[in-house]
Amino acid sequence: MRKLDHDQALVLFSGGQDSSIALAWALDRYGRVETIGFDYGQRHAVELETRQEMLASLRQAFPAWAAKLGDDTLIDGGALRSLSETAMTHETEIVMAENGLPTTFVPGRNLFFLVLAGALAYRRNTGVLVAGMCEADYSGYPDCRAATLSEQMAALRLGMETDLDLETPLMRITKAESWRLAEKLGGEKLVALVNENSHTCYRGERGDRHEWGYGCGECPACELRAKGWAEYRAGT
Ligand code: ZN
């Protein structure tokens, strides 16, 4: 059994609202934090650009966090593109499919990401993975649920004979509550920074700046984000 350093975290960081807040949570909690992202042929490279802006602005605004924030690793997940026929990687309409899942569901995607993140963590002697999965108000993706992740982490620990853990600080909280968490971690400054720099829109639109951030305002991800922001601002 290889014992890893549990004061080191590796954050699965996509540049979205949830993983940005999860990153801040990790920076508040651990002595050393690295990030990992995946380029898997997303329809829009916007996410990959905004994640760099988010890292740069976090470093600038929070010097104490900058001192802990280490390497960012971008992994080529192009194998997913060749497998996938879904809306996230191809120009298919975003709708609910017959199986009850949105067409943005990429089978195996998060399972695949977690294996790669686990392998990198092992090499870095990092004991904790941190991810922004949330099942409270968006349970469409079965690979983001706590039950799935718990089983997969058990498999990773067995398969690498190590004591790797996973923390998902947003798993059971709503989008409004996750904004409140951001406020607690870094005040209004962090809330404004995540709102400005994080990307959520499925269509990859960053033309219009709404009160809740950038996006098309019509896709399911934008609707959820707008609703969460409104609830947060209303204090509900
Ligand atoms: Zn949108």
Side-chain angles (χ1 to χ4, degrees), residues 50-233:
T50 54
R51 69 191 291 285
Q52 289 305 323
E53 284 163 21
M54 178 68 70
L55 289 172
S57 57
L58 275 176
R59 279 197 170 91
Q60 194 179 20
F62 297 94
W65 288 354
K68 301 177 175 184
L69 185 54
D71 290 350
D72 176 48
T73 304
L74 190 64
I75 301 285
D76 181 3
L80 278 176
R81 177 172 29 198
S82 49
L83 283 172
S84 171
E85 295 296 329
T86 66
M88 195 59 87
T89 47
H90 294 270
E91 295 291 336
T92 309
E93 200 187 343
I94 301 164
V95 292
M96 294 302 278
E98 278 174 21
N99 60 3
L101 290 175
T103 49
T104 47
F105 177 62
V106 181
R109 180 178 61 184
N110 286 309
L111 302 173
F112 179 58
F113 288 173
L114 210 56
V115 169
L116 295 175
L120 180 62
Y122 185 97
R123 286 166 183 272
R124 297 278 214 243
N125 197 38
T126 292
V128 187
L129 299 177
V130 175
M133 287 89 159
C134 170
E135 66 176 20
D137 52 6
Y138 198 72
S139 57
Y141 290 174
D143 53 0
C144 291
R145 292 176 194 151
T148 306
L149 297 172
S150 163
E151 296 290 328
Q152 194 181 0
M153 287 309 296
L156 284 175
R157 279 190 287 271
L158 283 170
M160 299 196 295
E161 226 165 49
T162 189
D163 60 353
L164 183 67
D165 284 329
L166 170 70
E167 295 286 347
T168 53
L170 309 187
M171 181 58 77
R172 303 199 188 277
I173 65 177
T174 65
K175 292 285 174 268
E177 287 165 340
S178 72
W179 282 121
R180 280 195 280 278
L181 173 62
E183 190 181 317
K184 196 175 120 203
L185 292 166
E188 281 288 328
K189 187 165 68 169
L190 181 63
V191 171
L193 194 152
V194 172
N195 196 26
E196 178 67 24
N197 291 306
S198 69
H199 184 81
T200 308
C201 177
Y202 282 141
R203 296 199 172 108
E205 287 189 16
R206 284 189 77 74
D208 291 336
R209 174 65 158 88
H210 311 268
E211 195 194 339
W212 45 266
Y214 292 94
C216 73
E218 289 161 9
C219 74
C222 280
E223 282 178 5
L224 186 62
R225 180 162 169 151
K227 179 172 168 281
W229 179 260
E231 287 170 2
Y232 164 62
R233 277 310 190 207

Side-chain angles (χ1 to χ4, degrees), residues 3-20:
K3 296 223 178 279
L4 301 171
D5 182 347
H6 285 247
D7 192 39
Q8 287 184 200
L10 176 65
V11 181
L12 285 87
F13 176 59
S14 71
Q17 175 187 325
D18 291 343
S19 68
S20 296

